[in-house]
Amino acid sequence: MAAPEEEAAAASESEGGEGGDEEALKRLEVWERRGDLAGEGARPPGEIWGDSERGAWDHFMAGFKGWGYLGYFGMEVGVTWGQGWGDFGGSLPVPLPQALVTDLYRFRDALPPRDAAGDPGHEPQDPLVAEMEKTLKLMEEIQVSPEGRGRALVLRARALGVAPEVGGARAEQVLGHALKLDPALGAAWRQLGEQRWRRGDLRGARDAFGGALQQGEDPEARRLLSMALRAQGEGPGAGGAGPSPGGGALRESLAQAEAAVRCDPRDGQSWYVLGNAPRVAVFSRGGRAPAAPGAALAAYAQAERVDPAAAANPDLHLNRATLLQYLERFQAALEGLSRAAELAPGWDEPRKRHGNLLEFLSRLCGLLANRGKLRGKRRRGLAGPVPLPLLGPLGGAGGPRPSPISALRPGPNPQRVVLGRVLFSLAPPGGVPYTVGLQDGGGAVAAVTVYNAAPAWGVTVGDALGVPDPLLTQHQHQHQGQTFSFLGIRVSSPLSLVVNGKRPPGSALAPPRLALSNPSAPPEEATPPGAR
């Protein structure tokens, strides 16, 4: 990865941009000292300023009552209590940049959710953009010390990032200026990475997050790097500096998430990101990561345990529900989707998935009860035992023992094989799992859920299907007054099956893929509306 100085230069190659930002850079001058307001010998504002200025001070302080920002004064702009205050340039002091930015984001969070079909940031008289420009104007009126100029620019970029469609390019330019002034600003590197991610430059984002880590330990940068690695699909080595020998994106992503947790074990967001890392491994490796689901669920639970705010994160509930659905824990998945929808009323995704899962379970139970809705001669033709030669490579001496569904026990059934006829096939939205209704020779039925099947592969009604080493589950799920009860047999690969006496071709197996809903969106942009 390029050195921080080189990155800073690259980030600020195209200067000029918006006139307001250039003007703001020119206005960053040294504050004039007007007295010591902290430490021994501190004097109240009335002893330094006149009556009008004292009234302005009282007005200023009242604006922060109950906000808890007094401890942040100066930390973000390079002025401490012991350094004193400078000239605000008017009778009414302007709140410091940190408070202005915080207030701007509170304004954003209080806005009603936008229509998903709209174009945020480009609507006529967009209230968020108007508030952003107002905040930027106020920030221009504040003068800071030379040592605080870089941090002030980071805050300005943060304000521009509230409406990324409008302010994203300007924010990236401002961050370039900040890093030219002080390449050791970890916050500037983090924000630069987010801006690059937002415009689709995942490699640049990864390098910027690595640049933040070069300045010192930073759990937020590690979380962001972990997420970018999963999205990019190519892992760096230690510190984000290059490819990891013998490793990969998922392995390094998990390592970064673990390091973030070690930095602060009480940070629920770090535990949440740690949960997402093995969760992605479950789907990208086609289920060939048996320990990953348990690790992900444990991390999600720990996030809620150590940080009450994590329990109100709709992303956590949605991602956990996705994993629970994959594990066929359908009742818990439905509850998680309901909770995500409750926490984010303006977010359509959890409600859509909740409806899709309910419909899938309802249709599945109905098809099993009605034997695929087959009637008359067609139904009678599929009844009765299936000839054993249709076991193909699973038949003969030394092969698994044919067993009816009723003879199976919950859990694994090694050295057994179920042979039956296909009654129907069902694919939920997204195609996973591909589900087959199977009837054995005795008339018992079960749902065979086949994972990692290619979209083009499938079976037809009447096919003879052999399922070796069946993994049986007695499903019993209740949700919103509905009960879903059925026998299920889980199959991890279509290649383990036998269809009409033959193994499926290799093309029946879907290649492993990284399941990301929006790999080009940075974390903040991917947050559901109304749930930031």
Side-chain angles (χ1 to χ4, degrees), residues 203 206 234-238 241-247:
R203 181 175 290 278
R206 187 198 75 177
E234 180 180 354
S244 177

Side-chain angles (χ1 to χ4, degrees), residues 31-312:
W31 283 24
E32 297 177 1
R33 294 196 179 191
R34 300 191 61 175
D36 185 7
L37 292 180
E40 294 187 8
R43 293 172 288 165
E47 296 182 18
I48 303 172
W49 298 331
D51 290 339
S52 64
E53 291 172 306
R54 181 173 184 175
W57 170 260
D58 292 339
H59 176 84
F60 176 45
M61 294 300 290
F64 288 92
K65 185 177 181 181
W67 284 15
Y69 288 125
L70 296 182
Y72 292 98
F73 279 9
M75 184 179 70
E76 298 293 348
V77 294
V79 180
T80 65
W81 287 108
Q83 290 177 300
W85 295 98
D87 188 357
F88 285 100
S91 61
L92 287 180
V94 181
L96 295 181
Q98 172 67 51
L100 286 171
V101 173
T102 301
D103 198 37
L104 174 61
Y105 276 81
R106 285 181 172 176
F107 177 87
R108 179 202 67 178
D109 294 344
L111 289 174
R114 289 189 178 94
D115 184 355
D119 190 8
H122 291 85
E123 301 172 7
Q125 298 179 341
D126 187 316
L128 181 58
V129 174
E131 189 69 14
M132 179 190 76
E133 297 295 350
K134 176 183 174 182
T135 298
L136 293 171
K137 187 67 174 177
L138 289 173
M139 294 175 76
E140 290 174 9
E141 301 300 324
I142 300 175
Q143 297 175 328
V144 298
S145 61
E147 60 270 21
R149 292 173 64 188
R151 289 189 292 275
L153 288 173
V154 172
L155 285 171
R156 183 173 183 82
R158 174 71 173 153
L160 287 163
V162 78
E165 299 84 0
V166 173
R170 294 160 62 187
E172 194 164 346
Q173 181 187 87
V174 169
L175 291 168
H177 284 299
L179 289 169
K180 286 180 68 176
L181 291 171
D182 186 357
L185 284 171
W189 285 110
R190 288 198 309 271
Q191 287 194 42
L192 181 62
E194 292 183 68
Q195 293 300 330
R196 289 175 174 176
W197 192 344
R198 183 171 284 112
R199 60 179 172 81
D201 182 8
L202 283 169
R203 181 175 290 278
R206 187 198 75 177
D207 291 343
F209 298 143
L213 291 174
Q214 287 184 355
Q215 315 314 317
E217 190 53 78
D218 186 336
E220 184 177 356
R222 289 200 181 278
R223 290 196 301 265
L224 290 166
L225 180 56
S226 174
M227 298 162 72
L229 284 166
R230 294 199 305 271
Q232 184 184 354
E234 180 180 354
S244 177
L250 296 180
R251 183 182 304 172
E252 186 64 21
S253 171
L254 181 60
Q256 293 294 339
E258 290 172 340
V261 167
R262 287 195 297 271
C263 290
D264 184 2
R266 304 292 301 176
D267 189 330
Q269 182 66 14
S270 292
W271 281 105
Y272 165 62
V273 172
L274 179 59
N276 285 343
R279 171 185 166 272
V280 170
V282 172
F283 299 107
S284 66
R285 294 175 180 175
R288 294 182 294 275
L297 293 175
Y300 290 145
Q302 185 68 3
E304 293 180 293
R305 189 176 300 115
V306 303
D307 186 357

Side-chain angles (χ1 to χ4, degrees), residues 422 425 434 436 450 453-461 463 465 494 499-500 504-505 507-508:
V422 173
S425 61
Y434 179 73
V436 175
V450 185
W457 179 83
V459 295
T460 59
V461 174
D463 281 347
L465 183 67
V499 181
N500 298 325
S507 59

